[in-house]
Amino acid sequence: MKKEECFFLGKIVKKYSFKGELLIKLDTDEPELFEDMDSVFIDLRNNLVPFFIESSQLHKSELLRIKFEDVDTEADADALMKSDLYLPLDFLPELEGNKFYFHEIIGFTVEDINFGKVGTIQSINDSTAQALFEIDRDGIEILIPMNDEFISKVDKPNKTIFVETPEGLIDLYLEE
């Protein structure tokens, strides 16, 4: 299993007991979706290693308390501390309506209601205060904020996102 085929689930943040239990900080708004997993991949020295789950339960709402098979001591648990957890992409729940995962819209076409076809989504920049669509238009990079007010429709079957941006926003990138 390669990292590109997976999504980041969370990080092991601390030990819970002397019996090898660990607390995972999940990277999700819906931790209850991941309460009954059978296994996860743990990133150990840049290799994704499968670990089977003996038991798990939510702990203080945002943490998941996990007991892995064959992790029975504090030393076993120490070896996994601060490791990242991953799951295969096909474990992601299907999103309805205009909701989407960042990875699934790469390559989608962006069309603006007023401007017309803008270009193709190359990536998502989520390192800024507001995430941005990074769109390629014949070699010119156009950035459009991923704002619910701008996104009118996500057409997954036709790989198109329809937006309505403020007048002049796209033109700013095209003026020479």
Side-chain angles (χ1 to χ4, degrees), residues 21 54 94 98 127 139 141 153 156:
E21 285 181 294
E54 216 169 89
E94 190 74 28
N98 280 349
S127 63
E141 184 181 59
K153 182 176 182 228
K156 290 181 189 174

Side-chain angles (χ1 to χ4, degrees), residues 48-63:
L48 291 184
V49 180
F51 276 76
F52 293 93
I53 297 170
E54 216 169 89
S55 64
S56 66
Q57 68 187 67
L58 285 178
H59 179 80
K60 294 183 180 161
S61 75
E62 78 221 17
L63 296 173

Side-chain angles (χ1 to χ4, degrees), residues 130-145:
Q130 180 164 28
L132 301 165
F133 291 119
E134 292 184 347
I135 301 163
D136 174 57
R137 180 181 173 86
D138 305 323
I140 298 168
E141 184 181 59
I142 297 174
L143 302 175
I144 295 179

Side-chain angles (χ1 to χ4, degrees), residues 1-3 6 41-44 46-50 84 86:
M1 185 65 60
K2 294 189 184 89
K3 243 186 222 179
C6 295
F41 288 98
I42 298 181
D43 185 352
L44 298 175
N46 282 329
N47 290 313
L48 291 184
V49 180
D84 292 339
Y86 291 87

